Amino acid sequence: MSATLQTEFRKQARLMGSAFEFVVVGDDSSEIYLTHAIDEVIRLEALLTEFSKTSQTAMINDNAGLKPVRVDDEVFTLIQRCKKISSLSQGAFDITAAPLKKLYNFKGGDFKFPDQSDINRTLTLVGTDKIEMHNDQHVFLKNKGMRLTFAGVGKGYAADKVKALLQQKGVESGVINASGDLTVWGKRADGSPWKVGIADPNNKSKVLLSIPLENASLATSGDYEQYFEMNGKRYSHTIDPKTGIPVSNVKSVTVVSPSAELSDALATAVFVMGPDVGMNFIEQLPQVHALMITAENKILATSHMKFNTTGM
Amino acid sequence: MKKRYIVVGLLAAFLSAKAQQTEAPYTKQSLRSKDVSLLMSFYTQDNDHSAVTGGIGTEDLQVYATSLSMAWIQDSVHTITLDGGADIISSASTDNINFVFSSASREDVRSHVNLSYDRVLKNNFSAGVNGAFSIESDYTSFGLGANVAHVSADQSRSLGASIQGFADDLRWGRLDNGRAQKLLYPSELRYKEWFDEHNRYSVNAEIYFHQTISKRTTLGFYPGFVFQQGLLSTPFHRVYFEDNALRVEVLPDTRIKIPIGVELNTFLGFKTILKASYRFYWDDFGISAHTLSVDAPYKMSRVWTLLPSVRFYTQSASDYFKPYKAHAPAEDFYTSDYDLSQFESVKVGMGFRYAPFIVKKRRTFEEIEFRYSVYGRSDGLVAHMMSLFLSYAKQRK
């Protein structure tokens, strides 16, 4: 490493519907890379968003039940990886589950639990096994009405791509923070490790837990503010892709792993799988850690998370 | 014969009902190592330094919990949410400038302004300065202070020091017509100015030392030192002498106080935390005192916590204290203020905290805390105290 002065450069931008922050450590010549990082996320958003008419996701969805669609290699391999995670997680993570969320109409004012018959009918449109991967990068959704969404993995995928881009340009340490989904690598300008702080929800300026990280990505699933209550039970806005019912036994899950895409997907998967099965699933994956808060406020952590207490 | 079949039948029905209840879409499964390595190989192939490390080079992640969450983690006293709240801790973002204003109301003639600035420095140090101004019907006060603290690298030990200075003016009348007027004496003693000094200066120095003993226990040590100078008595206190003379209370114009405290916090298990503290106090007015207090919050359920507490206090009399008509006329310093006499007191309290943390849109009803205590002093003073605390938060995006 050269002896030039190392500084931390930051830039923020609103991308993929979230507040992104990029940090690179380097000398003055590194600052321009922040703009490259933003450009890359803009490119990926245009590629993957389901809300545009021209994205590749939109083209796949518009041709559901009709014909296969050719996509870029990176989209094709992303879908392959999502299918793999889906099968390993027994279907808890599923990029075809969008029609279920639509049933619940969470954004509308007058919320009503859908009928079981509607749920059953929609479940026939869900399942990554119904995504067919054909030759020459063609993707086909078997049933009409099926919809792909990368909402559960898009930010993570973008973070991994940006990190690879920055590392290729010689940035040896930096941070990508997408509203709390964090990727870090290297060390800070003064040589200390990046410390991820998890805020006290009741006082966002106070740090509750801090975790020093080097080369890791942290993602959390289970927005505490997005929930609804019915008959005294609290339900999140995340729907279980196999039952069509919203998850109710977990408050939040945080996953730490070498990849932002993986952490993103696994956080959702574990949230759906629940305390016993979900945590057991993570224990079997090397270099992956998870922390879960259940509905009863019990805190569960995988065996390689060591808790230390500090002074008062 | 018949009985046995009924029992078997019932058992079978029970077992099948149970099986239906516990049938879940996801079950614990052993993943095939081939599948696992195939998945992980993609995610770790790109970088040389592909290992997730906890910053100290091991496979484990070190999670540092602050003091409150020591109880939370053992005990889940509070709800913790980890989404949207993760961020990189940087010294720049923990710079703190606090500006607190409280203004006078018509009836309550008191207002104060507090300004403080804190900053996190390199090598786990932090420091701050503060200034304060306060005005009450019987005095105005200016304060200035500075503090510094250090936390060890593994966050198990912290050490800090603070120094605070105050300059008080004890004259009355300021709020009536904007100018300080006179010291207020008892009505029958206002024929002369008993004191030509109306200021009081104090310097408070405190050191704290805090150590985590184990996962469940922390220990704190707090020695302090106070020096005061100026008008240290209360101008409107009367003192009666043996010869029936009446004068205003007179105390020396310097005072040194030394408090030393020790505090132990430990998680006892069975959802109970124990907080025990002992404080020794000595000053050169002849007073020495001991305080022992014990709190034991007990978490009854997810939202309810019981808060019992008890406090014992004993103090010896100041050299300058004598009761009504017991002072000799030739004494230089004299007071009959019972706060400076010899006494013991006990305070016993019970409270509860209800902390549902109900979130509706962006508002959170956090908690309500009610405490009731009874205080009794050996000189006959009995007091009942009730307090109510309500906490509510609104989030800004």
Side-chain angles (χ1 to χ4, degrees):
Chain A
M1 197 53 241
S2 69
T4 53
L5 185 65
Q6 297 280 292
T7 325
E8 291 170 12
F9 298 95
R10 292 162 190 269
K11 209 171 164 96
Q12 290 170 337
R14 184 121 197 129
L15 301 159
M16 292 184 161
S18 299
F20 269 74
E21 185 185 24
F22 304 93
V23 183
V24 295
V25 176
D27 54 33
D28 289 341
S29 65
S30 322
E31 199 174 357
I32 185 71
Y33 302 144
L34 293 170
T35 315
H36 299 165
I38 294 176
D39 289 342
E40 175 70 350
V41 181
I42 294 175
R43 178 188 78 81
L44 290 169
E45 182 168 16
L47 189 72
L48 297 173
T49 178
E50 63 204 279
F51 299 116
S52 115
K53 301 243 177 357
T54 51
S55 69
Q56 299 201 353
T57 309
M59 292 201 300
I60 298 173
N61 290 343
D62 289 345
N63 287 289
L66 296 176
K67 63 182 201 294
V69 170
R70 191 177 192 279
V71 294
D72 289 355
D73 184 55
E74 64 176 311
V75 177
F76 193 76
T77 51
L78 174 62
I79 297 177
Q80 281 182 322
R81 294 195 299 277
C82 289
K83 284 178 64 129
K84 185 105 199 111
I85 298 175
S86 203
S87 72
L88 272 175
S89 66
Q90 303 171 46
F93 172 71
D94 196 320
I95 55 174
T96 63
L100 280 173
K101 191 134 187 191
K102 196 136 182 266
L103 257 190
Y104 281 82
N105 190 27
F106 288 124
K107 298 225 165 77
D110 213 358
F111 171 74
K112 207 175 57 118
F113 223 97
D115 291 335
Q116 189 61 45
S117 55
D118 286 339
I119 295 179
N120 292 342
R121 193 176 27 87
T122 312
L123 282 173
T124 63
L125 303 173
V126 175
T128 45
D129 50 322
K130 302 184 177 92
I131 305 176
E132 286 183 4
M133 310 298 271
H134 294 177
N135 286 339
D136 198 27
Q137 289 158 219
H138 280 76
V139 178
F140 178 53
L141 299 179
K142 272 164 67 168
N143 303 346
K144 194 159 177 199
M146 279 182 74
R147 275 185 76 81
L148 279 192
T149 173
F150 293 103
V153 79
K155 284 195 298 196
Y157 176 65
D160 283 341
K161 292 291 279 189
V162 168
K163 176 182 164 191
L165 180 81
L166 291 172
Q167 284 182 317
Q168 208 179 61
K169 294 190 192 264
V171 176
E172 293 194 0
S173 62
V175 176
I176 301 162
N177 184 351
S179 283
D181 282 353
L182 282 156
T183 298
V184 309
W185 71 99
K187 288 196 202 286
R188 301 195 64 167
D190 62 1
S192 62
W194 295 106
K195 274 197 266 195
V196 173
I198 290 163
D200 184 340
N202 317 307
N203 180 359
K204 288 266 152 86
S205 59
K206 211 159 72 147
V207 171
L208 203 63
L209 300 173
S210 78
I211 310 179
L213 285 179
E214 199 175 326
N215 286 317
S217 297
L218 178 150
T220 306
S221 189
D223 188 358
Y224 191 57
E225 289 184 4
Q226 287 185 358
Y227 73 97
F228 65 94
E229 290 204 6
M230 229 187 72
N231 300 333
K233 203 164 168 198
R234 188 134 91 191
Y235 297 90
S236 73
H237 282 195
T238 302
I239 317 292
D240 182 331
K242 281 168 78 161
T243 64
I245 311 287
V247 173
S248 61
N249 57 352
V250 182
K251 283 221 165 92
S252 81
V253 174
T254 296
V255 172
V256 181
S257 84
S259 146
E261 173 192 309
L262 185 65
S263 293
D264 234 357
L266 290 180
T268 308
V270 174
F271 188 80
V272 169
M273 287 160 101
D276 284 338
V277 181
M279 298 306 273
N280 171 266
F281 172 55
I282 298 295
E283 284 282 7
Q284 299 181 59
L285 302 176
Q287 296 198 57
V288 183
H289 312 258
L291 194 79
M292 174 190 280
I293 314 292
T294 67
E296 297 86 34
N297 291 335
K298 250 180 87 184
I299 302 182
L300 307 173
T302 49
S303 56
H304 284 289
M305 287 201 116
K306 302 295 179 200
F307 282 85
N308 306 270
T309 55
T310 66
M312 283 195 205
Chain B
M1 235 7 193
K2 223 182 188 173
K3 235 193 215 170
R4 200 181 302 162
Y5 287 138
I6 291 173
V7 168
V8 168
L10 283 174
L11 191 61
F14 170 77
L15 285 175
S16 81
K18 232 178 175 276
Q20 275 170 354
Q21 271 179 331
T22 55
E23 191 192 286
Y26 308 101
T27 54
K28 278 194 191 170
Q29 283 178 8
S30 231
L31 303 173
R32 290 191 305 179
S33 63
K34 194 179 71 162
D35 288 338
V36 171
S37 49
L38 200 62
L39 177 78
M40 295 309 294
S41 68
F42 175 82
Y43 293 110
T44 55
Q45 76 193 9
D46 286 345
N47 357 330
D48 288 335
H49 325 283
S50 52
V52 169
T53 59
I56 55 175
T58 67
E59 211 185 71
D60 295 339
L61 278 194
Q62 302 298 324
V63 182
Y64 293 97
T66 60
S67 60
L68 269 179
S69 54
M70 173 179 87
W72 299 20
I73 280 161
Q74 301 280 11
D75 211 20
S76 308
V77 169
H78 271 304
T79 303
I80 304 178
T81 58
L82 304 177
D83 57 312
D87 211 332
I88 293 291
I89 307 171
S90 67
S91 59
S93 65
T94 50
D95 272 9
N96 245 299
I97 302 185
N98 299 312
F99 211 83
V100 173
F101 260 116
S102 117
S103 56
S105 67
R106 278 207 96 86
E107 306 307 321
D108 165 22
V109 286
R110 178 192 166 89
S111 66
H112 69 269
V113 171
N114 259 316
L115 176 66
S116 70
Y117 173 71
D118 300 286
R119 196 190 163 94
V120 174
L121 309 167
K122 274 212 240 256
N123 297 327
N124 298 316
F125 274 95
S126 65
V129 293
N130 62 70
F133 169 74
S134 162
I135 183 166
E136 249 180 293
S137 34
D138 56 349
Y139 72 85
T140 49
S141 170
F142 288 92
L144 266 181
N147 57 77
V148 67
H150 177 263
V151 181
S152 68
D154 64 359
Q155 303 196 45
S156 69
R157 182 181 310 158
S158 61
L159 191 61
S162 72
I163 188 152
Q164 200 78 30
F166 289 100
D168 304 340
D169 183 330
L170 279 73
R171 288 175 296 178
W172 276 68
R174 198 153 306 196
L175 294 170
D176 286 343
N177 58 9
R179 261 187 314 116
Q181 298 203 337
K182 297 167 191 280
L183 289 173
L184 199 71
Y185 301 115
S187 52
E188 67 276 28
L189 293 170
R190 285 179 199 169
Y191 54 85
K192 76 172 198 186
E193 281 299 319
W194 293 82
F195 300 109
D196 50 13
E197 168 77 65
H198 50 75
N199 293 320
R200 177 186 300 166
Y201 304 99
S202 327
V203 176
N204 298 22
E206 190 177 88
I207 293 177
Y208 74 82
F209 175 76
H210 200 241
Q211 174 80 48
T212 302
I213 308 284
S214 74
K215 272 200 176 172
R216 296 175 162 220
T217 308
T218 69
L219 192 63
F221 178 60
Y222 313 98
F225 179 84
V226 176
F227 175 73
Q228 290 186 304
Q229 200 223 350
L231 180 60
L232 303 184
S233 57
T234 309
F236 48 83
H237 280 182
R238 299 175 172 84
V239 178
Y240 289 89
F241 289 76
E242 289 172 325
D243 61 353
N244 295 323
L246 169 63
R247 295 184 232 165
V248 164
E249 174 187 271
V250 173
L251 291 172
D253 60 4
T254 63
R255 187 174 186 181
I256 291 175
K257 307 183 191 181
I258 299 181
I260 301 179
V262 165
E263 186 176 302
L264 177 79
N265 276 264
T266 182
F267 179 67
L268 290 177
F270 305 110
K271 305 188 189 185
T272 308
I273 297 172
L274 178 73
K275 291 186 202 190
S277 73
Y278 167 73
R279 182 177 178 266
F280 170 72
Y281 169 89
W282 176 92
D283 72 18
D284 67 352
F285 277 16
I287 299 179
S288 63
H290 308 264
T291 315
L292 176 66
S293 71
V294 179
D295 285 77
Y298 166 65
K299 193 158 143 56
M300 299 189 293
S301 77
R302 183 178 73 86
V303 295
W304 290 94
T305 306
L306 204 60
L307 308 164
S309 71
V310 68
R311 178 180 177 268
F312 300 101
Y313 179 78
T314 171
Q315 88 174 23
S316 65
S318 161
D319 298 337
Y320 312 121
F321 172 84
K322 288 209 176 77
Y324 176 68
K325 286 201 182 166
H327 277 291
E331 287 170 17
D332 288 327
F333 304 111
Y334 34 85
T335 175
S336 295
D337 181 354
Y338 275 81
D339 285 346
L340 302 176
S341 69
Q342 189 270 328
F343 66 83
E344 295 85 40
S345 73
V346 176
K347 180 166 123 176
V348 178
M350 180 61 83
F352 68 80
R353 181 190 301 138
Y354 172 64
F357 287 90
I358 296 173
V359 183
K360 278 254 148 73
K361 307 224 180 190
R362 285 214 277 275
R363 286 182 179 77
T364 311
F365 166 54
E366 296 183 345
E367 59 181 291
I368 188 166
E369 191 175 295
F370 172 77
R371 287 184 193 249
Y372 169 74
S373 31
V374 176
Y375 172 80
R377 212 155 95 164
S378 56
D379 62 1
L381 172 66
V382 175
H384 299 263
M385 292 163 273
M386 284 196 290
S387 70
L388 188 65
F389 167 78
L390 177 67
S391 177
Y392 150 91
K394 181 171 168 185
Q395 184 175 46
R396 263 180 290 167
K397 273 274 153 114

